[in-house]
Amino acid sequence: MAGEMADDARSIFSRAALSLPPPHVSLDLLSSGVCVRCIFRLFGVHGDFYSCPFLTGPELHYFLKLQNGCQAGISENGHSSFGLHQCSEESDFNQKYCSICLGILQFPQDLYLGEGTSKDNFSIDVFVEKIAESIKIANHQIDGFFLEVSIPPVIVANERSIWSYMKKKYDSEAWFKNKALYNQISLKDALRLSITESLENKLSVKSGANSFHICLAYTNSEASLSLQNSLRKVQSSNRRRTEKENVVKVVDQCGNGQLDSREQLCSKSDAAILKELSSLDDHTFCDLFELPPKKASNSCKLMITCYRMPVFIGGRYLKFSRKVSQTLWIIDDERMGEASVEEIVGTPALEICRGDSYKFHAAGREDIDVRMLGSGRPFLVEVSNARFLPSMVDVVQMAVKINNSEKKYVMVRNLEVVGSEAWNLMRVGEAEKQKQYAALVWISRPLTDEDLQSISSVDNMEISQSTPIRVLHRRSPLERKRIIHWMKIEKIVGSSQFFLLHLCTQAGTYIKEFVHGDLGRTFPSIGSLLACRVEILQLDVTDVKMDVFI
């Protein structure tokens, strides 16, 4: 069985190799230190052979010799013998680290195990095993994965260097015109083609658009420093025309160790370096870089991490205490209130998801002394890097835990795990949504029937509100137009100066200020409508009209 699989792999390898340019071109690249997978991807050769274990320099060299009509050994079963012992020039075509990908597509174990490992330890299986170990250590539950790859900009420079080399040498040959640069397969895609199937088998899940990301971050500080030094020559040359003295001074300081040039150069972002590379014309690039790129003496180093995109748990909350803030509120290192909705809801969500941290988002907010009643206020808890994906049963248990807490500060309803689209649903129409309130109000004179009529006749009344005095210290002084949709007064038995005010307003209305007028900063107000002093004693939100988590 193993022999048949090996024969199948060699057959796939052979068919793919037939798609390459004339043998002398591939032999030239092999002798320049380019690995087999880079040769295939540079020439846009597609297929499932990237994971083939026989993609080595000596194997391709031997096949090209056969294709070029050289003498070749044939095994007893009629198949070509691709063994390494067949290649007398093995060392010339078995460069340890590729001059383009710097070992990324060769999977040397010292990529992640450090220096001192055997030269022959090249294995996709060992590489995949290392990734699986990282996931296990992080204790992630996974139902799929997405491979996220980052590579140093020097790889892009190496690719351009090899194409510039081939253009100079082979531009007149017919094959070159048919193997344009834009047909090439990216290193990232080639890496995914090489390991995805093995990783799927190892993890027993499929790859694709998944919230769980496996991050393969490659770096090569020595090669990157060399690249940035080369780019710095262009910058120095450009500045020298107008700032020659300053440039000489900087270069002299670097040479004398007065400036840490390595720290300076490595501080540039990859995006900035790539932008500089793309801005170079072909002539300048060829003057700066070796064609082909020099053979690599060390590989990239790899950091394997994994994380999950945020998990969102949404629902509605009700707040029954006037001593509980919506979010954690601390002034001068002192907590304001006894608790917060954020903590009461977010902490259980973090626990069941086993995440790193959480953020609490709500559709609007109420003051600490305002209760949230009715159907509740829509909210989302965003859990970062969750190790566990909660089921509906888990979410129900979370709700039971919150609702049965001893102090009964907060209750939740309609909890569910939702996608990131729920965030947009909460934001859409937030400014236009309607909110209903019930306020306990005192007026400085007895309430009359005319007062009742005046208040109940309000229909979509526009008011103007300047930023309230109580929040001017933290909000910009603006004037806002808001709509009072309707109001009605509920009398309190036995009292002529206290009543309940029920009203429906546009979101963003300052209700307290609408009642007492805020020294004229809100107009009209209940005070101006009743032509007397009015104070609000208590306030409750009774409904948040939004079509989410209902």
Side-chain angles (χ1 to χ4, degrees):
M1 181 64 72
E4 292 178 2
M5 292 177 64
D7 288 339
D8 289 342
R10 287 191 173 97
S11 177
I12 294 172
F13 171 82
S14 300
R15 289 196 302 271
L18 291 173
S19 302
L20 295 173
H24 68 279
V25 179
S26 297
L27 288 171
D28 185 6
L29 294 182
L30 281 175
S31 64
S32 299
V34 181
C35 74
V36 179
R37 287 184 179 85
C38 275
I39 292 175
F40 277 112
R41 72 179 185 83
L42 289 176
F43 294 125
V45 183
H46 291 263
D48 55 0
F49 55 85
Y50 282 90
S51 60
C52 173
F54 304 106
L55 291 188
T56 64
E59 296 282 4
L60 179 59
H61 173 235
Y62 187 69
F63 175 84
L64 294 173
K65 287 176 63 177
L66 291 179
Q67 191 181 5
N68 213 26
C70 298
Q71 183 178 5
I74 305 296
S75 64
E76 293 182 359
N77 62 8
H79 292 283
S80 299
S81 177
F82 283 78
L84 298 182
H85 62 279
Q86 297 287 340
C87 300
S88 58
E89 302 98 330
E90 171 187 334
S91 60
D92 296 331
F93 299 100
N94 196 26
Q95 179 70 19
K96 185 176 182 182
Y97 305 123
C98 173
S99 58
I100 295 181
C101 72
L102 306 180
I104 292 176
L105 293 179
Q106 294 168 292
F107 308 101
Q109 289 190 30
D110 58 0
L111 193 74
Y112 42 82
L113 296 180
E115 300 296 338
T117 52
S118 169
K119 174 181 177 180
D120 299 322
N121 283 335
F122 296 78
S123 171
I124 289 178
D125 290 339
V126 174
F127 182 75
V128 166
E129 181 66 34
K130 187 67 178 178
I131 295 175
E133 288 177 10
S134 298
I135 297 172
K136 184 177 180 180
I137 291 171
N139 198 25
H140 274 281
Q141 174 206 37
I142 62 174
D143 57 352
F145 66 89
F146 175 78
L147 275 175
E148 184 179 312
V149 182
S150 65
I151 58 176
V154 67
I155 303 295
V156 176
N158 291 342
E159 290 176 350
R160 185 172 177 182
S161 176
I162 204 70
W163 275 102
S164 298
Y165 167 73
M166 287 192 291
K167 183 177 181 179
K168 281 190 173 184
K169 190 169 184 178
Y170 301 114
D171 189 38
S172 61
E173 297 187 19
W175 69 266
F176 187 80
K177 296 178 175 61
N178 298 323
K179 296 290 184 182
L181 177 62
Y182 57 78
N183 286 330
Q184 75 178 49
I185 297 172
S186 72
L187 188 152
K188 295 181 181 180
D189 286 342
L191 178 62
R192 292 186 181 103
L193 288 169
S194 301
I195 68 173
T196 295
E197 184 177 359
S198 295
L199 196 52
E200 287 177 336
N201 293 334
K202 180 67 179 179
L203 301 177
S204 299
V205 294
K206 291 294 184 181
S207 68
N210 193 273
S211 64
F212 180 72
H213 287 215
I214 299 171
C215 308
L216 308 178
Y218 293 90
T219 58
N220 190 309
S221 57
E222 183 177 328
S224 295
L225 182 61
S226 177
L227 168 64
Q228 293 185 58
N229 272 320
S230 297
L231 292 174
R232 187 164 161 270
K233 292 177 184 177
V234 178
Q235 297 171 342
S236 298
S237 177
N238 292 337
R239 286 197 301 265
R240 198 172 288 123
R241 297 168 188 168
T242 55
E243 303 177 25
K244 185 174 181 180
E245 291 183 2
N246 290 338
V247 171
V248 169
K249 181 179 179 181
V250 170
V251 173
D252 181 63
Q253 286 178 328
C254 289
N256 290 317
Q258 296 178 31
L259 295 177
D260 189 342
S261 60
R262 177 181 293 269
E263 182 176 334
Q264 280 186 332
L265 294 174
C266 291
S267 65
K268 286 187 178 180
S269 70
D270 287 355
I273 297 170
L274 289 171
K275 184 176 180 180
E276 287 185 41
L277 270 175
S278 64
S279 68
L280 298 179
D281 58 57
D282 289 344
H283 177 74
T284 304
F285 181 88
C286 292
D287 284 345
L288 282 176
F289 295 93
E290 291 187 42
L291 308 181
K294 66 179 181 180
K295 293 184 178 181
S297 59
N298 59 69
S299 70
C300 286
K301 299 306 175 188
L302 171 64
M303 177 176 289
I304 304 173
T305 57
C306 50
Y307 72 95
R308 186 176 298 283
M309 298 295 285
V311 170
F312 293 92
I313 298 177
R316 288 184 175 239
Y317 74 82
L318 293 87
K319 179 168 77 79
F320 305 116
S321 172
R322 300 189 191 278
K323 295 182 179 180
V324 172
S325 58
Q326 186 188 76
T327 56
L328 180 61
W329 187 14
I330 296 176
I331 298 179
D332 296 332
D333 296 327
E334 182 179 349
R335 171 192 281 275
M336 300 291 105
E338 297 179 359
S340 70
V341 179
E342 175 184 40
E343 295 166 290
I344 292 171
V345 176
T347 301
L350 184 65
E351 290 175 353
I352 66 168
C353 292
R354 301 206 306 267
D356 290 344
S357 60
Y358 71 89
K359 295 179 182 178
F360 181 82
H361 312 281
R365 63 187 301 120
E366 68 281 333
D367 292 338
I368 188 172
D369 60 347
V370 176
R371 296 186 301 179
M372 180 65 240
L373 307 177
S375 61
R377 186 186 297 277
F379 74 90
L380 286 174
V381 177
E382 176 186 349
V383 180
S384 299
N385 196 23
R387 271 73 169 181
F388 178 76
L389 290 174
S391 65
M392 193 61 208
V393 173
D394 298 315
V395 172
V396 169
Q397 290 176 347
M398 170 185 162
V400 170
K401 179 179 180 180
I402 294 171
N403 295 343
N404 291 338
S405 62
E406 182 179 347
K407 294 187 177 180
K408 305 290 185 184
Y409 286 151
V410 171
M411 289 186 64
V412 292
R413 54 188 297 272
N414 298 347
L415 284 194
E416 57 181 308
V417 178
V418 295
S420 57
E421 66 277 2
W423 173 261
N424 294 327
L425 290 176
M426 284 227 307
R427 300 280 79 87
V428 171
E430 183 178 6
E432 288 76 33
K433 70 178 182 289
Q434 295 182 11
K435 298 168 71 175
Q436 291 182 201
Y437 300 87
L440 176 60
V441 177
W442 171 87
I443 61 173
S444 59
R445 59 169 176 77
L447 191 68
T448 67
D449 291 339
E450 289 76 13
D451 295 334
L452 297 177
Q453 179 62 32
S454 173
I455 296 300
S456 62
S457 65
V458 167
D459 181 23
N460 292 322
M461 178 180 69
E462 183 179 84
I463 66 171
S464 176
Q465 291 195 305
S466 296
T467 303
I469 294 173
R470 65 187 171 92
V471 297
L472 265 177
H473 65 286
R474 54 187 172 88
R475 295 192 180 175
S476 301
L478 299 174
E479 184 174 299
R480 304 165 178 83
K481 302 295 184 180
R482 292 292 184 263
I483 301 296
I484 308 299
H485 296 291
W486 56 259
M487 293 190 292
K488 67 177 182 179
I489 288 178
E490 179 184 347
K491 290 184 176 181
I492 296 177
V493 177
S495 175
S496 62
Q497 291 182 261
F498 293 89
F499 63 87
L500 287 177
L501 174 67
H502 300 275
L503 66 165
C504 178
T505 75
Q506 179 184 351
T509 304
Y510 291 105
I511 303 301
K512 294 176 180 178
E513 283 67 26
F514 171 64
V515 172
H516 59 63
D518 198 26
L519 301 178
R521 297 174 66 83
T522 291
F523 186 86
S525 65
I526 297 296
S528 66
L529 291 174
L530 299 182
C532 66
R533 181 184 168 196
V534 180
E535 297 293 343
I536 184 168
L537 304 180
Q538 289 184 343
L539 179 64
D540 294 330
V541 184
T542 56
D543 196 11
V544 177
K545 295 183 179 296
M546 289 183 68
D547 294 330
V548 59
F549 308 130
I550 55 178

